Structure formats: C-alpha cells, structure tokens
Amino acid sequence: MALPAARARGWAAAVKMAQRRRHAEAPRGSPSRAPPGSRAALYVHWPYCEKRCSYCNFNKYIPRGVEEAAMRSCLVTEAQTLLRLSGVQRVESVFFGGGTPSLASPNTVAAVLEAVDQISHLPADSEVTLEANPTSAPGSRLAAFGAAGVNRLSIGLQSLDDTELQLLGRTHSARDALQTLAEARRLFPGRVSVDLMLGLPAQQVQRGALPAPDPELAAEMYQEGRAMLREVGFRQYEVSNFARNGALSTHNWTYWQCGQYLGVGPGAHGRFVPQGAGGHTREARIQTLEPDNWMKEVMLFGHGTRRRVPLGQLELLEEVLAMGLRTDVGITHQHWQQFEPQLSLWDVFGASQEVKALLAQGLLLLDHRGLRCSWEGLAVLDSLLLTLLPRLQEAWQQRTPSPVQGG
Amino acid sequence: MWAPMGRGRWHGCALTVWATAAAHRGILEPRPMPTRGAAAKSRSQDRLYSSADRKEKIDMSRFSVENIRNFSIIAHVDHGKSTLADRLLELTGTIDKTKNNKQVLDKLQVERERGITVKAQTASLFYNYEGKQYLLNLIDTPGHVDFSYEVSRSLSACQGVLLVVDANEGIQAQTVANFFLAFEAQLSVIPVINKIDLKNADPERVEKQIEKVFDIPTDECIKISAKLGTNVERVLQAVIERIPPPKVHRKNPLKALVFDSTFDQYRGVIANVALFDGVVSKGDKIVSAHTKKIYEVNEVGVLNPNEQPTHKLYAGQVGYLIAGMKDVTEAQIGDTLYLHKQPVEPLPGFKSAKPMVFAGMYPIDQSEYNNLKSAVEKLTINDSSVTVHRDSSLALGAGWRLGFLGLLHMEVFNQRLEQEYNASVILTTPTVPYKAVLSSAKLIKEYREKEITIINPAQFPDKSKVTEYLEPVVLGTIITPDEYTGKIMMLCQARRAVQKNMVYIDQNRVMLKYLFPLNEIVVDFYDSLKSLSSGYASFDYEDAGYQTAELVKMDILLNGNLVEELVTIVHKDKAHSVGKAICERLKDSLPRQLFEIAIQAAIGSKIIARETVKAYRKNVLAKCYGGDITRKMKLLKRQAEGKKKLRKIGNIEVPKDAFIKVLRTQPDK
C-alpha cells in the first residue's frame, strides 16, 4: 500500500503501534480515572458534502471548490484555541463528523490530530473515528486515513436497497456500500460501525406507496431489529446503538454520560467548563454555522464560537437524566453522585407515585445499581422522561439548600 | 359631522347603504355616528350623504286607506328578490337610479355573501298611477324559514305578496314554503317570473309549474328581468290592481302590530309597526299588550327606507315608532300596541321566539372570554330570538349555550361574530330541544310540570321516570330533478324521515315531502342533499311540533371512566352509528400513552361501540448526539410543560383539543 508514510508524523506512528493491541482492551464504560474536568472528547465538523441528501438536516454545504488548506488551518487553530480555553489535559476520543469528512484529505485529519496531541495529550489508544461515505472512500483512501491516525470508521450505509438509497439521495449503491464495508473491516478490523435507517416510506413488508413513516410499522421494525441484533450477540448499549465484542463508541458514550466535549468546525456544539479562562461553570457552546463566516472568525479571533450558554446545575442534571437513560447501563448511583452529591436518585424518584407506576409497569428500574430503562422502557423513553423531568424539577426546588461542597 | 343611520335589528352593518336614499330624499336628521365595524364604514364611504335639503314632515293623512297597499316579496334564495326590491325603490324614486344599487335592503355582509335576507327591511314607496298617489309599503321578509315566525308576522301586516321565481331554476323548496305561508295568511299572490333575460330561461315551463303546484292560472304570471328592469313597472301596477287595500278603520282606537324591532344605542328601540286601526302620533301614551308596560311615543314616521319622521301614522299605514323602550325584548315581534286606557283585543298569532337548535359557544382561548361576551351581547341586543345561557364545560371552559331559530340562524350568528367582531369561537355540534313526559310524581313536583324540555344531556331523566320522550320534528320540502329521487329517498330514510307526499311539478321535477326528526337535519343533511343531487335539489322545512321518540342517553367512557362533556342524547336507532362516530373521532385525537386506552360508547351498562388507542410501542428520539442535546432537552421540557395542562380522566391524559375536535361542528359542513 502506498501510504503517505513520509508525512506520517509522530502521533500517527504511535497510533499504528497502538492499533495492534486495541482488541485486548476492555469495553469503554468509564474510560480513565483522570478527574472529569481535565478530560474531554473532541468533535471536528467537516461541513462539505458532494450532494444534498433528501433526509439530512445537518449543517452542511455543497462547495464550489473547497480551499482545503484554509479550512485545515482554521480547524487546527480552533482546536488549539478551544483546548487551551478548556484546560483539558487529555483528549480521549476524536470524532470527525459532517458533512462528509471522508471528502477531506487525510492530511487535514492528521494535522488536527497532531495539534490536539500538542496542546493536550492524545493517548495513542484514543478512539479516532471518521465518518465515511461509501463513494467518497475507496479502500486506498481509507488506508490513508488510517495512516493519518484514524482508528475507527463510521460508515453512512443507510440502506442496502438501491431504491431506498435513491430515495434518500445518496450517491452510492448497495454494492458500493458492501464493498466499502468489506474494505473497512479489512483495514479496521473490529472497529467499524455502520448507520442504518428504519421507517423509510417504502420500507415495508409489501411495497405500497405510503408517504410518511407509519409509526406502528417503524415501532415494529425497531423491536424486530433490536431483538434480532440481540440474538446475534450485539449489545444494545444505547437507544439506537448496538455493538459486538465490546466495540462501543467511546466518543458517543461521552455524550450520554454528560462528559465534557469540545466542538470544532462550523456549527459544532460543545459542552465544557472553560477552566483555562478561569471558568467554573459548564457551558453549552455552538460555533458559527456558515463555513466562510466561521473561517473569518477563526482567523480573526482564533475561534468561531457564536453562542455560549452557561448550564445551571438543574439543567445539567436534566441532561444527565435524559442522556443517561438512553444507555443500557442507565444512571448508576455513582455516576449521579458525580454530578449531584446531595440529592440521591432515591431522594428524587423513590417516593413519587407516578414513578412507582412506571416501575410497576416494568418500564423503569430503580435499584441498588441505579436508575435505568427496561428493554420495553427504552423504546418509550421520551414518554418516561415526561414524568421523570418534572419530578426532578420538583425535587430540586424542594431540596434543603445546603452549603456548596468542594469538588 | 354625522352619517345616516340605517335600520336593522342586527346592528353591525346597519348604516351602510341607505345613505343613498337619504342623499336623494334628504330626510334624515343629524345624529352622531355610532361605532361600527370597519367593513361597514368602508361601505358607507361610497354612498355619502350630500345635503339635507328637505326637512319638513310628510302629512300622512292624505293617504287614505284605499290608496295604500301593503305587500312583501317572497322567493327562494337567489331568485332575485333583493334585485327586484332595488328596482321598485328606484322606479318610485325612493333611491337614486343613477347609482348602482345592489340589494339595498340586504345590508349585512352575510346577506350579500350568501344571497339571503336575514333581516327584514321595510320601505314606503310613493307611486303615481292613473292620476292617484299611492302609498306602497314594501315589507321585506327574511328569506329563510328559520325565520318563519318573523316571516309570518311580516306577512300578517300585508294583504299581498310578490312570489318571485327564477325563470331558469323554476319552483324551489323555499318557493313552496313561502307560498304556503302567504296562502295560509289569505294573501293575494302575484307570481313574478324573474331572470327572463337568462339564456336558459324557460318562463313557460315555470308558468306551468306555478299552475300545477299553486293553482294559479298561467296568465297571472308577470315575466320580468329585475336586473335589466324589464316589465318591472307592470309589477307595481299589479300591486295596485290585484292587492286589496288593508281593511282597517281610522276611527277605531289604535291597534298596531309590531312586526320588527331594532335597537339604536342613542334612541333605544325602534319598533316597526303596521296600524290595523286608529292613529298614532308623538306624545301618545301606548301600552304593550304583551308586557302591559306603558310608553310615551317620542317619534313616529315612515321608512324610506331610512326613518323619516311624520306627524302621525294612520290605520293601514306602515312605519316606525320610538317610545323609550330600552330593550328589544320590550318590543317583541307579534306584539300589539294600543293607546293607554283604550285596550283592544290583541292581534292573534303572537309567540315568543322559540329556539329550535342549541349549540355551545366557547372562546378558543379563555382569555378571550370577556371580549366574546361583549360581542355576543352586542349581537343579541338586536336579536331577541337568540337565547343565551351561561354554560361551562370541563374541556372547553366558560362559555354559553345559545339557542337559535334554526341552522341558518346559527351559522349567520357565528359568521357575524367572526366578521363584525373578529371573534373566533368553538361552536359545538348543534343539538335540539328534546322533551320528556314525566311519570314520577317526585320529579313532577320538582320541575313543577309534567312535560319538561331537555337542553342539557345531564338533565336527561331516566327511562323509569318518564312516560315517553319527545323529539322536535319538521316538515321538509325537497324539490329535485327526478333523476336524483332514488338517492334522495335513501338519504331521507337513513335520516329516519317519513314520506308524506310526492308529486311531479313538471315532466322531470319532483316535489317530496318528508317528516324529519329535527336532529337528523341539523348537522349535515343539507350538504349531503346538495352533493348527491349535484347541487340541484332544494330543501326547506317548517316546524311540525313534537313526536314520540325512543331516546337514550349515551355515555362515553375512557378505560371505564365517564367523560362528562361527551354525554349525548340520541335516538335508539342511531345510538350505534353516533357512538361509533364519536369513538372514532376521539381515537384520532387522543395521543398514545404508555398503556392501551379503550374508548367506549355505552348506554347504561351496555357497550355499543368501541375503539382502542394502542399503547406507545416506540417513543424515543432515534439519534441523539452532541449537537442534538440542546434541541432535545428543549423539546422534552416543552412537552413536560404541556403535560401539566392536560386533563386527566382516570390516569389518561387528554389534551384539550381532543374534546374540541369531537365537540365542535365539523368543518366540512
């Protein structure tokens, strides 16, 4: 393989070594023992696509010629600025999303990773995921991304039916998809994920002409799908995420555990405490959406942060609740305590009649491990949250104010 | 600055169009402009008053009884009644011919839009014929049988009618109903075949229909085009020749019929009166036979069609009278006025308005309650036939139960609220007043009568306590091309109607008469009839009293819990279909919950219809990563907020609009 080995810098080389031992590692539930404030996940947004897909509402643009060098330099600059601002010492995962980041050159990926490792520490075994589209990622290119430091691929398969792919406005065929998947599995064994959709208009037992997804049918597909995946040894570790052999996405896990994450690139979101600037409150941040404007801002100010909203303690707990329950582990007492040492899960939910009804219905579990959804409950989590969130608000308002503890 | 004030019991648009008449005649006294709707204002612009050049009062004594004719124009919707009235007003110089007069007597926006006359209007026409000056009083009538009582009172002030029939459409249901009202009042009927200028006009065929159905010789029909003015002069002559003068006596004590009344916020009630006997003038003390209240007359006059004060009004004449009445209920239609200390036998036929269709009316937003209240008050101040009772519903909040003379009356009222007061309302499915004949001595004592009227289903007495239930019925007339007869008969049968008569009025037109339970036609009968006859069938009905009916109270249950706002009274034979329809509508508007919901319609303990809302099997956002969290949390919190406002029935959460969707009149009406 003709890798641009000459350009592979220090970090990428280290990664290559690390890739040989990745299998031995335990599933990433709680990645490291470093204090939560000093670590973070990093999301990098590549805003361009070849073509607009009919279903996608992400922040993406169809460029008339991308000046990649400029974009690369801005991504690097913003990553540096935000990492310094956050005071993060250790980046545990990087995720290149989009858009279609597999359209970017491996150089860009390598440059960002290099910068991350320079400003804070990017351990060699950190998860580095790239979203890839079947057509924009032939095997040779995938290998180049691997050489640049990517060690996990997320492939936008969506469907294995050409009619559906056409309906979605995808540029690839089912055959392309399977080919790319095979390449990816060869290059990144055990570290490939695919996106699939269900509830598509034509996706039925019999092909009728129903325009909108039928909720009943979509529900059935979901139940069938997750049951089938369970049978073949996949763990449903989140509402719509399944993994075999412990190959969970560390990066996404951070989102659901309400860990810190930095968002780099046009329209990227982040949630972190700007400790490097002396901050103590977690902020929800969003970068400027439009790529050209974002670049101008990065060149002027070193970053394109458009909006910063401080998150209150209750808001953070609401997110801990809503995100945590999406996972199969749910919210452990230990996890909850990290965010709220005073008010336990028992305090909040233990006495509520409405919650008791949900427990009795077998949709929810509250026990010595913590609070989590049952198999049935996970599928109707949004309904459960409509009971749980107001209960949390109520308990929060009724709590006996106590002196703020250190930590 | 002042503007002329029009007439009209329904006030909103009242001033508008008669400014032209005023401009021409110059007869109005200045008075301030009351607050009006914007629509009314804009329309008054193009008919501005020019100069008040003639202020002296007319001496009405010079019109002796022999030279007076009192008549009405009656017609099916859109057959040209109002256009003919315009022409008659022009011909007699009552309104300016040079202006483009369009349905001068129809002043309400709804009247013009729908081509119906809701509010009766009156105009005195002065006409020279063969050297004599005649006073022709055109007493316009409401154009729909919802207002049949008002029509009958207007007709009782007349001696003849012009029966206008469209030369293309021929006799329609309303033509028949109107003819019989006039016939029963023993009036001279002058058939007028209108629109002979139309391409498809077939006046000969219509003549024959008139002969067949009304037994009027073909040579008595006057063929005109009101639009072009063709032959309209002949109509005026026929009024003089064929309609007798009123049989009245100037020397007798005053006996005046109130056939209409309106409210003016500055002058109080303006009563339209027809004098059967005697004379009335300013300063007279008069008494209402109905209320026995005494009033002093402040002003009398004729309608031209605006009020034109006169010294006196004499027997046989028609005009208005203002006498310090504060409320339209003090001058009820059909009441008799007489001079204080000279009581007379009241004129026959007086009835208080009797609502036949009831509906709940609620503001869409409860914060709009006071605005809506004021709008309803303003509308009802001029329409005493609408009954208003405060009501409240768990689902819809505070509102009213309104009683209307009929369906059209209800629609017009609602439309006027929206158009003139910009008020949006929830109108619940209309119901009719049922009755129960009580057998339980205890209940009779409680109600102090044996026969009670049930308006609210909550008051429905149990079968064990009644001898029988009664429902209101109407006699419906349908006229249709015969190709639709079969379908129409099936429709009528499905509505529990009993056929009373069927005749061919010409080679291919059939007139059907059916006795309908009123509640079977209040919702969508007319629309069904129109759609299955491609719009050709016409329908009209008249009150036909009450008949015994097997009525039952139907409950709606959600997982066994009674939904109070959906209790309904239905005929036993219709319980299943009505119950099913309500269950289906509820099913469509109840959101899924974490458990299954059984929606049931029940009579007593017997379930007659059921629908099921399945439990949620999936309700969770599929993808939720870093960028989605803020949006997701916002959505969840908004939903959680909304959940607090839901009404709980048992453990089922019911959004407010679920009931609204079930209760409100269906939009496809």
Side-chain angles (χ1 to χ4, degrees):
Chain A
M1 265 191 296
L3 290 182
R7 280 194 240 161
R9 298 169 201 181
W11 189 80
V15 166
K16 285 192 70 110
M17 296 298 291
Q19 278 178 350
R20 297 196 176 65
R21 53 183 159 81
R22 76 204 153 213
H23 266 303
E25 283 186 69
R28 292 133 215 268
S30 41
S32 88
R33 297 289 98 223
S38 69
R39 49 194 159 96
L42 180 77
Y43 174 79
V44 183
H45 191 80
W46 180 264
Y48 303 114
C49 288
E50 267 179 312
K51 180 173 180 292
R52 221 169 274 278
C53 297
S54 57
Y55 60 92
C56 175
N57 61 354
F58 282 14
N59 184 38
K60 82 279 171 179
Y61 302 84
I62 312 303
R64 296 170 296 262
V66 182
E67 278 197 55
E68 183 154 357
M71 178 52 89
R72 178 190 308 140
S73 133
C74 285
L75 287 172
V76 166
T77 305
E78 189 171 59
Q80 289 169 332
T81 310
L82 295 184
L83 282 167
R84 283 197 189 101
L85 186 69
S86 68
V88 160
Q89 320 260 307
R90 187 183 161 92
V91 172
E92 293 180 325
S93 65
V94 181
F95 193 104
F96 291 89
T100 311
S102 50
L103 287 174
S105 83
N107 283 341
T108 298
V109 169
V112 172
L113 294 175
E114 206 65 46
V116 173
D117 193 40
Q118 271 166 19
I119 301 286
S120 54
H121 175 49
L122 179 63
D125 59 350
S126 293
E127 176 188 280
V128 179
T129 309
L130 176 86
E131 274 183 345
N133 257 8
T135 37
S136 63
S140 58
R141 208 170 156 77
L142 291 183
F145 280 119
V150 169
N151 57 22
R152 185 174 173 274
L153 276 187
S154 167
I155 303 177
L157 220 62
Q158 314 310 353
S159 168
L160 285 173
D161 179 302
D162 284 340
T163 320
E164 283 177 4
L165 288 169
Q166 253 180 338
L167 180 83
L168 294 169
R170 302 291 290 182
T171 54
H172 67 269
S173 66
R175 213 170 137 249
D176 297 336
L178 289 173
Q179 212 167 6
T180 306
L181 181 59
E183 290 278 359
R185 292 181 67 180
R186 187 175 60 77
L187 288 163
F188 304 91
R191 304 202 75 172
V192 176
S193 77
V194 298
D195 286 0
L196 284 171
M197 285 188 172
L198 64 79
L200 293 176
Q203 205 176 32
Q204 296 171 42
V205 186
Q206 285 169 334
R207 271 153 215 272
L210 270 182
D214 170 26
E216 191 65 19
L217 201 68
E220 198 170 321
M221 285 182 186
Y222 182 66
Q223 299 295 16
E224 292 275 314
R226 60 199 289 231
M228 194 185 75
L229 285 165
R230 181 162 67 173
E231 268 171 42
V232 295
F234 279 82
R235 166 179 164 199
Q236 182 176 13
Y237 66 103
E238 195 260 358
V239 170
S240 49
N241 282 270
F242 303 81
R244 207 161 44 168
N245 304 327
L248 283 66
S249 162
T250 306
H251 184 83
N252 289 339
W253 190 261
T254 304
Y255 292 143
W256 305 315
Q257 292 294 306
C258 287
Q260 291 201 108
Y261 57 96
L262 277 57
V264 170
H269 288 248
R271 267 171 168 67
F272 62 88
V273 182
Q275 279 181 333
H280 298 287
T281 309
R282 186 186 282 221
E283 291 176 357
R285 289 170 159 255
I286 179 164
Q287 311 308 106
T288 294
L289 275 172
E290 207 276 314
D292 291 346
N293 293 340
W294 172 82
M295 278 201 268
K296 272 181 214 151
E297 288 168 36
V298 175
M299 287 188 265
L300 278 171
F301 314 115
H303 66 88
T305 302
R306 181 51 69 97
R307 213 169 123 76
R308 295 166 48 194
V309 183
L311 288 172
Q313 177 65 6
L314 174 61
E315 268 179 290
L316 183 56
L317 290 179
E318 286 168 346
E319 290 189 0
V320 169
L321 184 67
M323 296 300 125
L325 287 177
R326 293 181 67 86
T327 64
D328 59 345
V329 177
I331 304 152
T332 62
H333 292 295
Q334 197 186 6
H335 176 60
W336 181 261
Q337 234 190 337
Q338 279 181 24
F339 292 93
E340 175 49 51
Q342 305 291 309
L343 210 54
S344 74
L345 286 172
W346 290 110
D347 294 337
V348 178
F349 300 112
S352 158
Q353 287 307 316
E354 282 182 295
V355 174
K356 278 183 185 165
L358 297 176
L359 297 172
Q361 258 184 282
L363 297 169
L364 201 65
L365 292 105
L366 176 61
D367 57 19
H368 65 282
R369 279 161 60 190
L371 181 71
R372 65 193 174 281
C373 291
S374 69
W375 169 264
E376 293 76 21
L378 191 64
V380 292
L381 172 59
D382 287 2
S383 292
L384 305 183
L385 285 171
L386 296 187
T387 297
L388 299 176
L389 286 170
R391 179 57 215 139
L392 171 59
Q393 285 166 10
E394 207 181 340
W396 180 258
Q397 277 146 18
Q398 287 166 357
R399 79 196 190 283
T400 37
S402 61
V404 182
Q405 280 205 335
Chain B
M1 184 61 203
W2 62 276
M5 160 87 77
R7 301 272 293 147
R9 176 158 42 121
W10 287 348
H11 227 202
C13 285
L15 80 164
T16 63
V17 291
W18 289 354
T20 311
H24 184 67
R25 298 246 130 195
I27 41 159
L28 287 175
E29 287 177 355
R31 71 183 81 98
M33 169 103 141
T35 325
R36 299 291 185 189
K41 269 182 201 150
S42 67
R43 257 185 295 136
S44 67
Q45 299 296 311
D46 40 309
R47 292 173 180 271
L48 274 183
Y49 178 78
S50 56
S51 65
D53 48 41
R54 212 172 66 181
K55 284 243 171 97
E56 79 277 19
K57 291 181 175 176
I58 299 174
D59 176 11
M60 294 304 287
S61 68
R62 64 197 169 93
F63 294 102
S64 63
V65 171
E66 313 84 74
N67 296 340
I68 297 174
R69 302 290 183 272
N70 295 325
F71 71 104
S72 271
I73 309 176
I74 53 180
H76 189 76
V77 171
D78 227 15
H79 280 198
K81 177 172 99 161
S82 300
T83 312
L84 176 57
D86 288 351
R87 289 300 93 74
L88 296 180
L89 263 58
E90 285 172 11
L91 258 181
T92 54
T94 312
I95 56 173
D96 201 335
K97 209 178 283 187
T98 60
K99 289 271 166 61
N100 186 22
N101 292 310
K102 273 215 173 127
Q103 304 177 0
V104 171
L105 298 183
D106 287 346
K107 290 172 303 179
L108 301 174
Q109 192 181 344
V110 281
E111 292 182 325
R112 284 153 178 258
E113 277 176 12
R114 293 175 165 239
I116 52 166
T117 303
V118 171
K119 181 65 201 90
Q121 304 296 345
T122 291
S124 292
L125 320 176
F126 302 97
Y127 187 62
N128 261 306
Y129 179 57
E130 294 181 343
K132 277 190 220 157
Q133 171 121 73
Y134 286 88
L135 172 63
L136 310 179
N137 294 308
L138 166 55
I139 299 164
D140 198 10
T141 61
H144 191 277
V145 277
D146 274 3
F147 311 106
S148 65
Y149 172 67
E150 307 190 344
V151 175
S152 78
R153 291 308 85 203
S154 291
L155 292 183
S156 73
C158 299
Q159 285 72 47
V161 294
L162 300 174
L163 178 68
V164 178
V165 187
D166 183 307
N168 177 23
E169 289 190 359
I171 289 177
Q172 296 294 314
Q174 215 181 307
T175 321
V176 179
N178 280 321
F179 170 81
F180 283 107
L181 282 175
F183 185 76
E184 280 161 21
Q186 299 182 320
L187 307 185
S188 308
V189 175
I190 302 172
V192 174
I193 300 174
N194 189 23
K195 306 193 190 181
I196 55 166
D197 56 305
L198 289 185
K199 214 169 77 185
N200 295 324
D202 188 356
E204 284 68 37
R205 185 174 62 96
V206 178
E207 269 179 355
K208 283 184 197 125
Q209 287 180 351
I210 289 172
E211 184 168 35
K212 170 129 194 202
V213 179
F214 304 137
D215 204 18
I216 299 173
T218 49
D219 60 3
E220 286 189 21
C221 294
I222 305 174
K223 294 169 206 163
I224 68 159
S225 162
K227 192 172 132 202
L228 304 179
T230 319
N231 265 345
V232 175
E233 195 96 35
R234 283 246 354 249
V235 174
L236 280 178
Q237 291 158 10
V239 166
I240 291 166
E241 286 163 3
R242 296 198 217 161
I243 296 174
K247 288 198 190 73
V248 295
H249 303 280
R250 212 178 258 193
K251 299 250 161 55
N252 286 358
L254 174 70
K255 185 196 272 192
L257 169 75
V258 177
F259 65 88
D260 197 2
S261 64
T262 56
F263 181 80
D264 177 300
Q265 69 181 109
Y266 296 98
R267 302 192 297 170
V269 174
I270 301 169
N272 284 9
V273 291
L275 270 64
F276 280 68
D277 282 321
V279 182
V280 67
S281 58
K282 188 178 168 174
D284 284 348
K285 286 232 162 59
I286 56 165
V287 182
S288 149
H290 175 56
T291 65
K292 300 287 184 285
K293 281 192 188 166
I294 304 165
Y295 304 93
E296 187 178 320
V297 177
N298 302 328
E299 185 180 320
V300 295
V302 292
L303 297 157
N304 212 350
N306 290 300
E307 295 113 36
Q308 179 179 10
T310 60
H311 298 286
K312 293 182 178 187
L313 280 179
Y314 297 87
Q317 295 176 356
V318 170
Y320 71 94
L321 166 162
I322 299 172
M325 295 169 177
K326 296 277 181 281
D327 186 320
V328 277
T329 56
E330 293 179 71
Q332 288 200 35
I333 294 172
D335 197 3
T336 304
L337 303 176
Y338 56 82
L339 288 176
H340 186 43
K341 291 180 179 160
Q342 294 183 55
V344 296
E345 184 70 19
L347 291 155
F350 174 79
K351 289 189 281 190
S352 283
K354 185 179 68 173
M356 289 304 285
V357 175
F358 290 85
M361 183 177 274
Y362 298 84
I364 283 179
D365 184 336
Q366 279 292 313
S367 66
E368 286 290 304
Y369 179 85
N370 283 325
N371 291 342
L372 184 57
K373 182 170 174 238
S374 122
V376 169
E377 276 167 4
K378 278 182 198 150
L379 268 181
T380 50
I381 201 166
N382 269 314
D383 187 356
S384 61
S385 57
V386 178
T387 61
V388 181
H389 296 285
R390 286 194 57 175
D391 201 357
S392 72
S393 148
L394 289 168
L396 306 175
W400 302 268
R401 187 141 203 97
L402 302 181
F404 301 97
L405 298 172
L407 278 179
L408 181 90
H409 189 203
M410 179 177 92
E411 280 180 42
V412 164
F413 188 89
N414 187 31
Q415 204 174 338
R416 295 194 61 200
L417 268 182
E418 286 181 5
Q419 286 175 351
E420 294 166 30
Y421 295 93
N422 200 21
S424 284
V425 298
I426 296 162
L427 208 56
T428 64
T429 308
T431 58
V432 301
Y434 294 109
K435 287 183 176 179
V437 181
L438 300 172
S439 60
S440 143
K442 194 175 154 236
L443 275 185
I444 294 171
K445 208 175 156 193
E446 195 183 312
Y447 283 102
R448 283 191 237 109
E449 53 191 351
K450 205 166 163 19
E451 193 177 285
I452 58 163
T453 302
I454 310 149
I455 292 164
N456 186 336
Q459 306 160 334
F460 192 75
D462 189 74
K463 199 170 173 168
S464 63
K465 292 176 179 138
V466 301
T467 318
E468 59 176 353
Y469 298 111
L470 303 169
E471 66 177 339
V473 284
V474 293
L475 185 63
T477 302
I478 297 165
I479 292 183
T480 176
D482 58 0
E483 62 204 276
Y484 304 113
T485 317
K487 282 191 205 163
I488 291 174
M489 286 167 73
M490 280 185 24
L491 172 70
C492 293
Q493 227 162 10
R495 302 300 178 115
R496 299 195 286 124
V498 179
Q499 197 183 85
K500 292 291 171 189
N501 194 6
M502 175 172 163
V503 289
Y504 272 81
I505 61 169
D506 62 21
Q507 273 98 348
N508 47 25
R509 261 163 215 268
V510 180
M511 178 166 76
L512 299 155
K513 295 242 178 201
Y514 275 90
L515 194 65
F516 284 94
L518 178 60
N519 90 311
E520 293 289 340
I521 61 166
V522 292
V523 178
D524 55 0
F525 176 78
Y526 189 67
D527 293 322
S528 305
L529 180 74
K530 279 284 172 194
S531 75
L532 64 76
S533 67
S534 310
Y536 283 112
S538 64
F539 175 68
D540 209 340
Y541 65 86
E542 58 190 282
D543 187 5
Y546 275 78
Q547 73 179 15
T548 304
E550 286 194 71
L551 302 175
V552 289
K553 183 166 86 164
M554 184 169 69
D555 294 331
I556 301 296
L557 310 171
L558 293 182
N559 282 358
N561 302 289
L562 177 70
V563 185
E564 287 163 61
E565 41 275 83
L566 297 181
V567 176
T568 316
I569 299 171
V570 285
H571 190 271
K572 205 178 79 182
D573 296 349
K574 285 300 181 84
H576 175 71
S577 61
V578 172
K580 191 161 182 291
I582 294 178
C583 289
E584 279 169 2
R585 263 196 246 166
L586 253 185
K587 185 190 176 184
D588 291 341
S589 49
L590 277 182
R592 291 186 176 210
Q593 328 236 326
L594 288 171
F595 42 81
E596 191 173 282
I597 309 168
I599 306 168
Q600 294 168 310
I603 293 168
S605 56
K606 194 178 157 212
I607 305 297
I608 55 162
R610 173 183 170 132
E611 291 289 333
T612 305
V613 177
K614 287 195 193 153
Y616 257 131
R617 290 180 62 202
K618 179 170 180 288
N619 180 31
V620 61
L621 185 68
K623 280 165 68 93
C624 188
Y625 303 99
D628 305 314
I629 295 174
T630 306
R631 198 162 38 88
K632 161 84 172 164
M633 292 309 296
K634 254 189 205 159
L635 183 72
L636 281 171
K637 283 198 228 172
R638 201 169 56 229
Q639 286 175 346
E641 248 346 273
K643 186 180 151 103
K644 288 182 192 162
K645 292 180 194 145
L646 299 178
R647 175 158 142 64
K648 273 205 141 186
I649 292 175
N651 59 345
I652 300 160
E653 289 162 338
V654 183
K656 198 173 145 186
D657 67 342
F659 286 142
I660 294 174
K661 281 179 195 155
V662 177
L663 291 172
R664 90 182 310 164
T665 310
Q666 293 305 290
D668 53 308
K669 250 199 88 236

